[in-house]
Amino acid sequence: MEQVKILLNDDEMPRQWYNLAADLPTPMLPPLGPDGQPVTPEKLAPVFPMNLIEQEVSTKRWIDIPDEILQMLALWRPSPLMRARNLEKALGTPARIYYKNEGVSPAGSHKPNTAVAQAWYNKQFGIERLTTETGAGQWGCALAFACSLIGLECKVFMVRISFDQKPFRKLMMGVWGANCIASPSDQTQAGRDILAKMPDTPGSLGMAISEAVEAAVSDSTGKTRYSLGSVLNHVLMHQTVIGLEARTQLKKAGEKQPDVVIGCAGGGSNFAGISFPFVSDKIAGAKIDIVAVEPESCPTLTRGPFVYDHGDVAAMTPLLPMYSLGHAFVPQPIHAGGLRYHGMAPLVSQAVVEGLITPKAYPQLKCYESAVLWARTEGFLPAPETSHAIAAAIDEARKAKETGEEKVILFCWSGHGLMDLAGYDKFFQGKLKDFSLPADELAASLQAVEKFPKAAIRKSGKW
Amino acid sequence: MEQVKILLNDDEMPRQWYNLAADLPTPMLPPLGPDGQPVTPEKLAPVFPMNLIEQEVSTKRWIDIPDEILQMLALWRPSPLMRARNLEKALGTPARIYYKNEGVSPAGSHKPNTAVAQAWYNKQFGIERLTTETGAGQWGCALAFACSLIGLECKVFMVRISFDQKPFRKLMMGVWGANCIASPSDQTQAGRDILAKMPDTPGSLGMAISEAVEAAVSDSTGKTRYSLGSVLNHVLMHQTVIGLEARTQLKKAGEKQPDVVIGCAGGGSNFAGISFPFVSDKIAGAKIDIVAVEPESCPTLTRGPFVYDHGDVAAMTPLLPMYSLGHAFVPQPIHAGGLRYHGMAPLVSQAVVEGLITPKAYPQLKCYESAVLWARTEGFLPAPETSHAIAAAIDEARKAKETGEEKVILFCWSGHGLMDLAGYDKFFQGKLKDFSLPADELAASLQAVEKFPKAAIRKSGKW
């Protein structure tokens, strides 16, 4: 029998999160407030608990994972590192393709890795309820699950069009006891203001963030905080268990290191999770191609500039140093909802500026074709987001076939597609098309960022 | 950290299936043809390939699992044996609750364990396509997945009402390349006859079986066979990897043996999978309670007699010796579609007659309550079928709390409920009710079996 699945013993599991901020050749730029000055931890205190803010600004390389969080992660971790032998055979490639299956979590994606950590730190800080927003529902489900384990109330503002069109994610949150509300709602001033102007709006992630933040900071008991599923430093750090496990698993499989590491990138969290430990190896001298795959219709890293911009449409968040298409950019309605984000996590962005990470953009039809080939060879149905990483892995494997190189390819299989079958249906019916972002639309969207301070960093120029 | 997940190394994996027929104290009664005579293997040859028929009639205790099947099973096996510590704490029980998570397979349930085996044996026999029927879609998905791995065509006749109401299962089959057709269809004589009489019929499993069998036996090339997802001896045997793995995993967890083994029982396949290795231990002298849980609305084992009856509504199959509510019995529309079956696998039935297995019937509301408690403590959302096993495990754990016994409870978590969220929704909305089968309805349904030969067996009387 050929080995296809590599697991880890308890004593091989990561006990610390990895913080890339400690190793980046140039220090991270700070987030800026409306006054153009760096945002202090105190200013974030009404939004996040101080123990998470400390992680957010930390430059410590390793941060211990508390035992109680390890205990919760053990419900589905270690996620299996799988060798995609059937796909290798179908492609006739000499490459060895490994994937980290994050679809095995209760919520079906990598998102619970940070959700349980955030819920735990909030509970430790005396917080009693969390608010958040969700688009297609992956993050809302992850936080609902985490809050049910920890014993926190959870309120999720879900973009109305998704709330109406994707009732199953909302139902999942309900099974975990979370309160899922269509946004805009009448429960916040922001929601009421929007509804007064646009009573029939389908909602947007920007509106939902505004409501979730308001619901957290306006609670007079001080026992409510807000939780975010990607972009921020601490969120990315919580995801590094993916890559740390994978690094040990690859060694167990007899591989010295991967030649290529691939993840899809929306806000950046699953990509950071699989790749940051290998970015660290690359900084230390290893030769590894690290590829972030984004949709052609939302080409943040491949066509956006590195600038200071808001993380949300409503311009409520601090200015973050990142690649951005402009905070008011509205991506096309592709099915990979988790990749429809105008910005990119600052840590990922800075590693791209440094040349440590190579971004690539893929059209959605090619991704769906790859997803179907995947399902018919490897069995598991991938999420549309995940299909972007699969498409890039297949391209690398085909390249290796041409050159005859026995490359080791590793990618993050970020989640299953069992709640995304409507997208597959449209694909088979020929109803999907590719979107390429027109240059004038991008230029118009980027005008909004011109007034912000420049995100100038001195690159080390090593990569 | 407390251990919650027990896995197996490659060299600890089962390499053989276990055949309970070898160890039952009384020999199995044969299936009978329309003439009342035992059905010979030759008569089954147009329906099944001879290598599977040999397994069906085998009384060998152990049958080697071919390497290529082991290789496919390795995509998701070993399934984790999990200790439900959060649930134990919530219940305050001294019992140790273990569950075998079969929801980790690509199709989301235990069904692929036999699907890949059946597809492989058919391929070996030179078969090019398989037909089957499916109700809610679990089995159809499993066979579609298996055929895509093996390279067989797959045609699934899906009960029309499910085809219309549950489009996602149909879409899953499509991603794996299977042809899923609403039944009754115009593709078979049986389907056309039914449609001529009842053009608006919602279909039934009985009708779908008729069409699937006809589509297999009427193929003049001789390259098509029929595949069944439960009930038959070889299907149950393929599922014993569940219990064999669990037995080794329990030992790794430091448990000598379980005190109670629980599975939900529809046709009997997941129940047999988890329990038969322990039934074998019980025959050899171990003291183990083995509990089969069925719905109160379809109380085959708890209220049906042990008789000869047909496996399908249309009376096309041989007469099987089993507990039955009568082959024309139509169960109430509970959400646990996989438990809506009038009969029970002959191997399970005979073990019940012998007293080796204790059947229990549960109402659906109690099962949903248990499923929600489960999701909020252990995270994973169970299928409605699985919730029956959970409810019984919780009852055993509460009993252990009363008596103060440190019982070891093992059950089969047969599948996830991500495709069954509509049932949860109705439960939360208070739209579900319990059904108890009226005695006169049962008596009327059983009249049809009175004309069949009696299924008389001499019990050993040991249990």
Side-chain angles (χ1 to χ4, degrees), chain A residues 161-361:
Chain A
I161 188 167
S162 297
F163 186 91
D164 292 338
Q165 289 180 349
K166 303 190 178 184
F168 291 120
R169 283 281 174 196
K170 167 184 66 187
L171 292 174
M172 279 176 82
M173 293 180 231
V175 177
W176 283 311
N179 184 6
C180 179
I181 297 155
S183 168
S185 75
D186 61 4
Q187 301 204 357
T188 65
Q189 192 57 49
R192 288 188 293 271
D193 287 351
I194 294 163
L195 286 173
K197 284 181 222 158
M198 302 177 277
D200 299 322
T201 177
S204 75
L205 212 48
M207 296 176 192
I209 293 177
S210 305
E211 287 204 88
V213 173
E214 180 188 325
V217 301
S218 64
D219 174 11
S220 58
T221 69
K223 298 290 190 189
T224 305
R225 289 294 182 279
Y226 166 74
S227 175
L228 190 65
S230 189
V231 178
L232 298 179
N233 301 343
H234 69 278
V235 181
L236 272 57
M237 190 185 71
H238 296 158
Q239 293 293 354
T240 57
V241 291
I242 304 172
L244 293 169
E245 286 176 9
R247 194 158 60 174
T248 308
Q249 286 166 313
L250 275 179
K251 294 224 165 84
K252 279 185 94 165
E255 305 291 1
K256 205 179 140 207
Q257 66 166 56
D259 297 298
V260 189
V261 176
I262 300 167
C264 64
S269 78
N270 97 84
F271 172 74
I274 189 84
S275 71
F276 278 7
F278 297 103
V279 173
S280 150
D281 293 345
K282 187 166 179 169
I283 291 170
K287 194 183 160 324
I288 307 176
D289 290 335
I290 299 176
V291 181
V293 189
E294 60 187 13
E296 260 189 7
S297 57
C298 189
T300 313
L301 290 170
T302 49
R303 293 180 57 196
F306 180 71
V307 291
Y308 265 115
D309 197 3
H310 292 290
D312 67 319
V313 183
M316 288 183 65
T317 74
L319 290 168
L320 300 172
M322 61 181 181
Y323 283 88
S324 176
L325 300 170
H327 60 270
F329 179 73
V330 180
Q332 291 290 332
I334 59 167
H335 278 270
L339 306 183
R340 293 179 67 241
Y341 185 63
H342 70 277
M344 180 57 63
L347 274 169
V348 172
S349 292
Q350 190 150 337
V352 171
V353 170
E354 275 285 358
L356 288 158
I357 292 166
T358 308
K360 290 187 182 170

Side-chain angles (χ1 to χ4, degrees), chain B residues 25 28 44 92 95 109 118 124 174 195 206 254 264 269 277 281 293 308 319 372 379 381 415:
Chain B
M28 292 286 289
L44 294 170
S109 78
Q118 291 191 47
Q124 287 289 307
L195 286 173
C264 64
S269 78
D281 293 346
V293 190
Y308 265 114
L319 290 167
V372 172
L381 265 67

Side-chain angles (χ1 to χ4, degrees), chain A residues 1-5 7-10 15 67 70-79 82-83 85-86 89 99 104-108 145 148-149 168-169 171-178 371-372 375-381 416 418-422 424-425 428, chain B residues 1-5 7-10 15 67 70-79 82-83 85-86 89 99 104-108 145 148-149 168-169 171-178 371-372 375-381 416 418-422 424-425 428:
Chain A
M1 250 184 74
E2 300 171 320
Q3 187 177 39
V4 296
K5 188 196 261 181
L7 296 161
L8 292 175
N9 301 325
D10 280 354
R15 293 279 192 280
D67 278 354
L70 287 171
Q71 191 77 49
M72 289 186 286
L73 292 173
L75 284 176
W76 70 96
R77 306 210 71 83
S79 70
M82 303 287 297
R83 171 123 178 237
R85 289 187 188 266
N86 296 339
K89 282 170 199 149
Y99 69 101
V104 298
S105 79
F145 153 69
S148 83
L149 282 195
F168 291 120
R169 283 281 174 196
L171 292 174
M172 279 176 82
M173 293 180 231
V175 177
W176 283 311
V372 172
R376 292 182 183 178
T377 52
E378 294 296 327
F380 293 97
L381 264 68
H416 65 64
L418 298 182
M419 316 300 281
D420 305 283
L421 285 159
Y424 280 95
D425 191 29
F428 283 120
Chain B
M1 250 185 75
E2 301 170 319
Q3 186 177 41
V4 295
K5 187 196 263 180
L7 295 160
L8 293 174
N9 301 325
D10 281 354
R15 293 280 192 277
D67 277 354
L70 287 171
Q71 190 76 50
M72 288 186 286
L73 292 174
L75 284 176
W76 70 96
R77 305 210 72 84
S79 69
M82 302 287 298
R83 172 125 177 237
R85 289 186 187 267
N86 296 338
K89 281 170 199 151
Y99 70 101
V104 298
S105 78
F145 153 68
S148 83
L149 282 194
F168 291 119
R169 283 280 175 195
L171 292 175
M172 278 177 82
M173 294 180 231
V175 177
W176 283 311
V372 172
R376 292 182 183 178
T377 52
E378 293 296 326
F380 293 98
L381 265 67
H416 66 64
L418 298 182
M419 317 301 281
D420 304 284
L421 285 159
Y424 280 95
D425 191 29
F428 283 120

Side-chain angles (χ1 to χ4, degrees), chain B residues 325-387:
Chain B
L325 300 170
H327 60 270
F329 178 75
V330 180
Q332 291 290 333
I334 59 167
H335 278 271
L339 305 184
R340 294 178 67 241
Y341 185 63
H342 70 278
M344 181 57 64
L347 275 169
V348 173
S349 293
Q350 191 151 335
V352 171
V353 170
E354 275 285 357
L356 288 158
I357 292 166
T358 307
K360 290 187 182 170
Y362 274 68
Q364 79 170 342
L365 290 181
K366 176 173 175 150
C367 295
Y368 269 104
E369 284 160 16
S370 303
V372 172
L373 173 60
W374 180 271
R376 292 182 183 178
T377 52
E378 293 296 326
F380 293 98
L381 265 67
E385 292 84 357
T386 307
S387 73

